[in-house]
Amino acid sequence: MGALENAALEAVMRAAPAPPRTIAETGLAVSDVLNLAIKAIYVSGEATPSMIGHTLKLPPSTVNEIFEQAEERRLLIGLGATSRDSAELRYALSDKGAQWAHEAMRQSQYVGPAPVTLEGYRDRIGRQRIASERVDEAAIAEAFGDLVISTHVAREIGPAINSGRSILLYGPPGNGKTSVGERIGSIFRDVICIPYCFEVDGQIIKVFDPGIHRPVNGQADQAQGGATTFHRDEFDARWVACWRPLVIAGGELTLEMLDLRFNSEAKFYEAPAHIKALGGVFMIDDFGRQLVSPTALLNRCIVPMESRVDYLKLHTGKSFSLPFDELVIFCTNLSPSALMDPAFLRRIPYKIEMAGPSAEEYRKIFHMCAKASGLEAPERVIDDVIWELCERSRFPLASYQPRFVVDQIQAACRFEGIEPEFRAELVAMALSNLYTRDTPGFGDGPAVNPGAARAA
């Protein structure tokens, strides 16, 4: 309607979460915030307001209110200033405070950043939708610059990424499906906010995972090529400014791993892998080889993929929903029609075949792999490799083979104590390790390479 400038809308959507200046602004109950602070003091033995602020990731004004509430309830004992040069007081728990801490620990042993609310988390997911970030041809060219991919893959990958929906990468093994999926996960340049944890019905659910999420340095850097800038003094520290995450689940994936994981001893939850991937990419690698059947896994994923909403359940029986905003990538070397029926295939809008390379692409890959190892691959050697695989043994070319051959030659030369080189017997040994003699097609072609004979 022209009532709002795009820049103004963008500023609202990308605005960093503001720090809560009071307990009320945290969205949490006073008792819940007090529990977190008292537990933090109990674990430390004694603490200052700044120490508790650092632990709970809350600003000084909110922490001062927490300490006022604690003193009113006679939960604290003042121990004096931390030093002559500081006016900040140290506090320890009173007997009543210790009893409070024991009861709080009995309910949950979580000690750390204060949670954000479920409503706040939902709102933030909506503000940082992955489809809102446009990936252009230049970004794709940069991300896939070290890979040799076919023209049709290069043409189809851009629209698939920008859709923010699901992608199926299929084809024979060893042709770069996982590599392509990983490049997709690293192509985004927007910064998003990940909560340390969020609260539902008094229960704490941890989200931020340092093994998955990549924080932006200082939480005040500007995304490379993006428009999001977070300033420390304007930023709610209960959130972590991160690059869009990439979560990869392989053959170990089970249905239980897609549910909330409750720690019965510590009495708090860990978010499942696909929730940690919100705002980013969730890749199911080796699809069809999981411990759970493909049908059961797809049945679990179909509602989130279709409705863009996922439902989770606490051990108390309470259910809640979260927006399911992430790019889901299925990678498989099995036949898609054998893994899923047409109804499931219809719900995956982008299906990209990762076929074996052509002879020309194979040569490019071979030269790239050799160069990366400090070697120069003669055309004659590549001709012999292609003939041995395709003519003598009737094996299809695959993108992983050049790297395999180069690694084998390097290992053999290192064993012999010589500089790596493409000697005929070393190349033959490398090729013999690609397959076993009982592999269908092994040695089914002519025994002599006419090209090699003419060269001789």
Side-chain angles (χ1 to χ4, degrees), residues 168-285:
L168 173 65
L169 300 177
Y170 69 98
N175 286 306
K177 294 180 292 295
T178 301
S179 295
V180 167
E182 290 173 343
R183 296 305 193 287
I184 292 174
S186 65
I187 203 171
F188 299 97
R189 289 295 176 265
D190 269 0
V191 174
I192 65 172
C193 297
I194 306 292
Y196 282 101
C197 57
F198 67 100
E199 183 262 349
V200 179
D201 203 28
Q203 303 293 318
I204 289 178
I205 302 168
K206 290 184 64 178
V207 178
F208 177 74
D209 187 336
I212 290 174
H213 299 113
R214 299 171 295 140
V216 177
N217 293 333
Q219 291 203 12
D221 293 359
Q222 182 166 335
Q224 301 171 10
T228 303
T229 303
F230 298 139
H231 301 286
R232 185 181 297 275
D233 57 346
E234 302 171 355
F235 188 83
D236 185 348
R238 295 178 297 167
W239 302 81
V240 187
C242 298
W243 305 112
R244 293 192 185 275
L246 167 64
V247 178
I248 302 176
E252 78 286 354
L253 183 63
T254 64
L255 286 183
E256 290 73 20
M257 293 171 65
L258 299 178
D259 293 329
L260 292 171
R261 189 165 72 251
F262 182 65
N263 187 323
S264 57
E265 294 184 1
K267 295 183 174 61
F268 61 84
Y269 293 84
E270 186 81 20
H274 68 293
I275 296 301
K276 294 180 180 181
L278 285 172
V281 176
F282 183 50
M283 183 166 74
I284 302 177
D285 204 9

Side-chain angles (χ1 to χ4, degrees), residues 163-405:
S163 74
R165 306 293 288 190
S166 53
I167 302 173
L168 173 65
L169 300 177
Y170 69 98
N175 286 306
K177 294 180 292 295
T178 301
S179 295
V180 167
E182 290 173 343
R183 296 305 193 287
I184 292 174
S186 65
I187 203 171
F188 299 97
R189 289 295 176 265
D190 269 0
V191 174
I192 65 172
C193 297
I194 306 292
Y196 282 101
C197 57
F198 67 100
E199 183 262 349
V200 179
D201 203 28
Q203 303 293 318
I204 289 178
I205 302 168
K206 290 184 64 178
V207 178
F208 177 74
D209 187 336
I212 290 174
H213 299 113
R214 299 171 295 140
V216 177
N217 293 333
Q219 291 203 12
D221 293 359
Q222 182 166 335
Q224 301 171 10
T228 303
T229 303
F230 298 139
H231 301 286
R232 185 181 297 275
D233 57 346
E234 302 171 355
F235 188 83
D236 185 348
R238 295 178 297 167
W239 302 81
V240 187
C242 298
W243 305 112
R244 293 192 185 275
L246 167 64
V247 178
I248 302 176
E252 78 286 354
L253 183 63
T254 64
L255 286 183
E256 290 73 20
M257 293 171 65
L258 299 178
D259 293 329
L260 292 171
R261 189 165 72 251
F262 182 65
N263 187 323
S264 57
E265 294 184 1
K267 295 183 174 61
F268 61 84
Y269 293 84
E270 186 81 20
H274 68 293
I275 296 301
K276 294 180 180 181
L278 285 172
V281 176
F282 183 50
M283 183 166 74
I284 302 177
D285 204 9
D286 289 327
F287 176 58
R289 301 187 186 278
Q290 280 71 32
L291 297 174
V292 59
S293 72
T295 301
L297 182 56
L298 287 169
N299 282 332
R300 172 62 180 86
C301 296
I302 194 169
V303 170
M305 288 169 55
E306 187 83 357
S307 66
R308 309 301 286 174
V309 175
D310 194 24
Y311 294 90
L312 301 167
K313 182 180 288 188
L314 301 173
H315 74 285
T316 60
K318 179 181 177 62
S319 295
F320 65 93
S321 65
L322 281 174
F324 187 75
D325 184 70
E326 58 193 49
L327 182 63
V328 182
I329 302 176
F330 296 91
C331 297
T332 185
N333 53 36
L334 303 175
S335 170
S337 61
L339 293 174
M340 59 188 85
D341 60 31
F344 281 124
L345 279 171
R346 177 177 61 83
R347 288 172 169 85
I348 302 177
Y350 293 92
K351 308 164 189 69
I352 302 176
E353 183 181 11
M354 301 290 296
S358 65
E360 181 181 355
E361 292 166 344
Y362 194 85
R363 293 178 187 280
K364 290 181 181 178
I365 297 171
F366 214 116
H367 284 301
M368 288 175 60
C369 291
K371 185 177 180 180
S373 299
L375 297 173
E376 189 71 32
E379 289 295 335
R380 171 185 51 79
V381 169
I382 302 176
D383 288 340
D384 289 345
V385 168
I386 293 175
W387 183 86
E388 286 282 344
L389 291 172
C390 298
E391 300 297 330
R392 186 180 182 191
S393 293
R394 310 298 189 193
F395 293 147
L397 297 179
S399 298
Y400 80 95
Q401 294 164 351
R403 175 81 269 167
F404 183 92
V405 171

Side-chain angles (χ1 to χ4, degrees), residues 410-452:
Q410 284 191 309
C413 291
R414 188 163 56 248
F415 172 73
E416 295 183 18
I418 62 174
E419 289 295 318
E421 58 178 330
F422 286 96
R423 291 192 346 229
E425 67 273 16
L426 297 182
V427 173
M429 182 181 68
L431 292 174
S432 70
N433 284 326
L434 271 172
Y435 303 96
T436 58
R437 289 186 176 277
D438 60 351
T439 303
F442 187 94
D444 288 347
V448 178
N449 181 353

